[in-house]
């Protein structure tokens, strides 16, 4: 079974700080990687879908990169704001099954 | 714009009782999924339906059954609930498996088995 790992598990940053998290996955038979933002008491919402090695995606202050050869993706948040506080999930699928395996998430708390 | 709707939002059952969790999507998606979310663990796939008329097991299917009633609806049934099935259950849908499209999630059902 595909193993997707995220680090760190949680972190606290000050408002205005920039931060990044890592999602690691097996590089063989990679198909796609998703990042989701999950606020407390809500449902996960898709941020990015990446499929190609070297992909970079950006939405406002949040961006992501993908390295399929070494099996990792970074999520960056520039100038963190309290409203960025959430759990950030990554999910990876392999060609053939296309089922997604989710990491356990990185819980971000931005302190005002 | 409802998206994915799950009912009920909360439920408490006694061990051995049965119940069905309902899920419906209005986005004309082909693929639907049921996950459970437990503390310290990621979302784990219970069952999925790649398209209307098909269902397949995910990582943790034991103790569950599913029905893809039509393109819109995908239900999850617990035949004889056990305390180990206490969890938060999420239904999700996507346009089509194999296209790399993101999944859209419902708000979850918090289920407690006593």
């Amino acid at each position: 079974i595909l193993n997707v790992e995220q680090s760190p598990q949680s972190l606290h940053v000050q408002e205005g700080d920039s931060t990044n998290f890592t999602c690691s996955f097996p590089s063989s038979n990679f198909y796609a990687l998703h990042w989701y933002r999950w606020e407390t008491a809500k449902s996960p919402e898709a941020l990015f879908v990446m499929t190609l090695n070297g992909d970079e995606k950006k939405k406002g202050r949040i961006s992501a990169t993908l390295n399929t050869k070494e099996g990792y993706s970074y999520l960056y948040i520039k100038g963190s704001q309290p409203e960025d506080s959430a759990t950030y999930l990554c999910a990876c699928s392999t060609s053939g099954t296309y089922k997604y395996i989710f990491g356990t998430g990185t819980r971000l708390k931005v302190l005002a | 714009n409802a998206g994915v709707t799950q009912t009920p939002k909360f439920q408490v059952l006694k061990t051995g009782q049965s119940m069905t969790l309902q899920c419906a999507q209005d986005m004309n998606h082909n693929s639907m999924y049921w996950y459970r979310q437990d503390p310290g663990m990621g979302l784990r796939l219970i069952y999925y339906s790649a398209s209307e008329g098909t269902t397949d097991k995910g990582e943790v299917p034991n103790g569950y059954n599913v029905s893809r009633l039509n393109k819109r609806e995908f239900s999850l049934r617990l035949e004889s609930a056990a305390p180990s099935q206490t969890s938060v259950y999420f239904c999700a849908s996507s346009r089509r498996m194999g296209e790399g499209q993101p999944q859209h999630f419902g708000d979850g059902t918090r289920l407690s088995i006593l």
Side-chain angles (χ1 to χ4, degrees):
Chain A
I1 292 181
L2 192 67
N3 191 31
V4 177
E5 297 184 353
Q6 292 187 245
S7 62
Q9 281 190 327
S10 66
L11 74 162
H12 292 183
V13 301
Q14 291 294 132
E15 181 177 359
D17 287 350
S18 293
T19 187
N20 64 85
F21 333 127
T22 304
C23 174
S24 301
F25 52 87
S27 56
S28 59
N29 300 317
F30 172 85
Y31 181 71
L33 187 115
H34 293 176
W35 279 101
Y36 293 86
R37 181 171 179 274
W38 192 0
E39 291 183 73
T40 303
K42 295 187 177 181
S43 55
E45 292 185 357
L47 284 173
F48 304 115
V49 175
M50 293 184 289
T51 57
L52 299 176
N53 185 46
D55 262 354
E56 293 187 24
K57 296 286 178 80
K58 186 175 182 182
K59 183 183 291 187
R61 294 178 291 97
I62 304 177
S63 60
T65 61
L66 179 67
N67 183 324
T68 61
K69 295 187 186 303
E70 296 181 44
Y72 65 84
S73 174
Y74 293 142
L75 186 80
Y76 301 91
I77 302 179
K78 184 178 179 181
S80 303
Q81 299 297 309
E83 58 265 31
D84 295 329
S85 297
T87 296
Y88 291 84
L89 293 175
C90 70
C92 182
S93 71
T94 54
S95 57
T97 68
Y98 305 114
K99 290 182 289 187
Y100 282 89
I101 302 297
F102 282 79
T104 54
T106 292
R107 183 175 296 181
L108 173 68
K109 176 74 172 176
V110 182
L111 306 171
Chain B
N1 195 8
V4 179
T5 303
Q6 289 182 236
T7 56
K9 293 192 185 306
F10 303 94
Q11 185 72 46
V12 179
L13 294 177
K14 294 181 180 178
T15 298
Q17 286 186 314
S18 62
M19 82 160 294
T20 299
L21 307 186
Q22 306 287 352
C23 175
Q25 51 90 12
D26 63 2
M27 295 172 283
N28 201 35
H29 284 170
N30 289 287
S31 303
M32 298 184 73
Y33 317 82
W34 276 105
Y35 294 92
R36 59 179 289 174
Q37 199 267 325
D38 301 295
M41 308 189 80
L43 291 165
R44 292 185 293 168
L45 184 64
I46 305 170
Y47 270 94
Y48 66 99
S49 171
S51 60
E52 185 180 358
T54 69
T55 60
D56 284 288
K57 295 178 181 179
E59 295 175 73
V60 289
N62 291 343
Y64 305 95
N65 285 302
V66 290
S67 295
R68 184 73 184 268
L69 304 170
N70 47 56
K71 192 172 185 179
R72 290 186 62 248
E73 299 172 285
F74 188 39
S75 62
L76 178 73
R77 183 162 178 83
L78 286 71
E79 290 290 351
S80 179
S84 61
Q85 294 177 304
T86 293
S87 188
V88 183
Y89 292 85
F90 286 93
C91 176
S93 70
S94 67
R95 194 171 70 184
R96 193 183 302 275
M97 286 184 82
E99 289 186 349
Q101 294 297 314
Q103 296 183 19
H104 298 258
F105 288 84
D107 289 337
T109 295
R110 189 174 295 273
L111 184 62
S112 294
I113 317 294
L114 305 177

